[in-house]
Amino acid sequence: MGIIACLIGALIQSAKDLTSKRLAFVADGLTSTFGSFAFALPYYVAALGAAWYFGFESFAVGSSFLFLVVLRAISDSGAEYLKMEAMRRGDISLLTSFMQLSPVFILLLSPLISGDHLSWIGIVGVLIVVSGGLVIIPRADAGGERKASLQGVILSVASALCFAVNSCLDRLAVQQASPLVAGFSMTLMAGIFFSPVLLSRGRTAVLRSQFHFFSLRGLFEIGQMFTKLYALQHLQTAYVASIFRVSILLSVVGGYVLFRERDFGKRLLAGALTMLGVILISVGIYQD
């Protein structure tokens, strides 16, 4: 069931990324980040109410749950903001492979959390992931477009680091509360962090004018978060992060079909290499 949840979550994540790219044309990073959290909250309230009514939710939480929620909200806020800003500076099919590097950072963080050690398969996985990124580095003669793309790459890598921290905290959070309670609490806290966005009339106007797209992405947000947290109850963090990388290929294809982004073949190869690398990383971590 954990693997099935990851595959469903990867599909939802790709749909969420494509919707975020659509919103990036009209909304800045702060507005889009706040909308990602705020528009997911009504769906969470409805889901929690239904789960409680049918007896699936008790709202029981552990003693350290609030602390984890605050830490996770901070890292999630940074991750989402960096991701939205990256999408404003480059093609989704270019940036997606870099955004999906979080398993590499999980690989580095896992010894601090669970005492895991890198095996030779994990080392090979890292090299393959790096080679996938090198495939799509902009050419030196691309001028201003190269500069913009490079900014997007840097922001994407920083976002991946924050998402890696998120995954580690998510793993701890679902040991303290149910996936729905954990997801709702962390989303609410992150939304509060970015609520000053509402003080800007220009940004609130964007939220109103793009209500349907923000609402759609809010639905994708809760779907992606729930499947991830559910999977973390059954699988190790590195496994979940790696299987979710199936979304790379979906986003590359979607970026080409919907936005006519260039270098489709090269970026598809890069996405495939990245996905192969992170799968090997996940196998390598737990080989011993």
Side-chain angles (χ1 to χ4, degrees):
M1 292 301 294
I3 294 176
I4 294 174
C6 286
L7 294 175
I8 295 174
L11 177 61
I12 297 173
Q13 180 173 315
S14 181
K16 176 188 169 186
D17 287 344
L18 292 171
T19 307
S20 295
K21 179 60 178 179
R22 167 61 178 77
L23 287 169
F25 292 123
V26 294
D28 63 19
L30 286 173
T31 304
S32 189
T33 302
F34 172 76
S36 179
F37 300 125
F39 283 80
L41 291 175
Y43 296 110
Y44 271 114
V45 172
L48 284 168
W52 175 78
Y53 180 80
F54 289 105
F56 296 114
E57 183 59 66
S58 64
F59 297 97
V61 297
S63 58
S64 60
F65 179 67
L66 180 60
F67 178 68
L68 292 173
V69 166
V70 173
L71 288 181
R72 206 278 186 183
I74 293 173
S75 62
D76 195 30
S77 297
E80 288 292 342
Y81 174 71
L82 291 167
K83 179 178 178 179
M84 301 309 172
E85 284 296 318
M87 286 187 173
R88 295 179 62 233
R89 290 168 167 79
D91 295 343
I92 186 173
S93 52
L94 167 66
L95 301 178
T96 295
S97 293
F98 291 97
M99 291 178 183
Q100 306 299 331
L101 290 175
S102 58
V104 178
F105 295 115
I106 292 174
L107 181 67
L108 299 175
L109 293 172
S110 60
L112 302 176
I113 299 174
S114 58
D116 296 323
H117 299 285
L118 179 62
S119 69
W120 68 269
I121 292 182
I123 295 174
V124 172
V126 171
L127 295 176
I128 291 177
V129 168
V130 172
S131 68
L134 293 176
V135 167
I136 50 177
I137 290 294
R139 294 186 300 272
D141 59 351
E145 180 181 347
R146 175 179 176 271
K147 180 179 179 181
S149 296
L150 183 59
Q151 291 174 349
V153 168
I154 293 173
L155 290 170
S156 297
V157 173
S159 174
L161 176 58
C162 290
F163 277 121
V165 175
N166 286 354
S167 295
C168 296
L169 295 175
D170 286 342
R171 174 69 172 169
L172 297 176
V174 292
Q175 298 172 9
Q176 299 282 325
S178 70
L180 271 179
V181 170
F184 170 75
S185 301
M186 292 183 288
T187 301
L188 176 61
M189 185 67 68
I192 292 174
F193 286 166
F194 281 91
S195 60
V197 165
L198 297 174
L199 298 177
S200 169
R201 292 184 178 180
R203 285 170 171 156
T204 54
V206 171
L207 291 171
R208 287 195 298 268
S209 66
Q210 301 297 318
F211 178 84
H212 296 298
F213 282 107
F214 276 113
S215 296
L216 178 62
R217 194 180 61 179
L219 180 61
F220 292 147
E221 172 70 23
I222 182 176
Q224 184 262 337
M225 177 64 75
F226 176 79
T227 52
K228 176 184 177 182
L229 294 175
Y230 177 83
L232 284 170
Q233 289 185 317
H234 302 276
L235 299 174
Q236 299 289 343
T237 306
Y239 282 128
V240 173
S242 297
I243 299 172
F244 258 77
R245 299 294 80 82
V246 173
S247 64
I248 296 174
L249 298 179
L250 298 175
S251 291
V252 168
V253 174
Y256 174 75
V257 173
L258 297 178
F259 305 112
R260 297 301 175 187
E261 296 177 349
R262 298 170 298 171
D263 296 329
F264 173 69
K266 186 165 64 172
R267 294 176 182 181
L268 187 63
L269 173 61
L273 285 172
T274 302
M275 187 173 69
L276 174 61
V278 295
I279 289 174
L280 287 175
I281 288 170
S282 110
V283 172
I285 291 175
Y286 297 99
Q287 173 180 265
D288 297 332

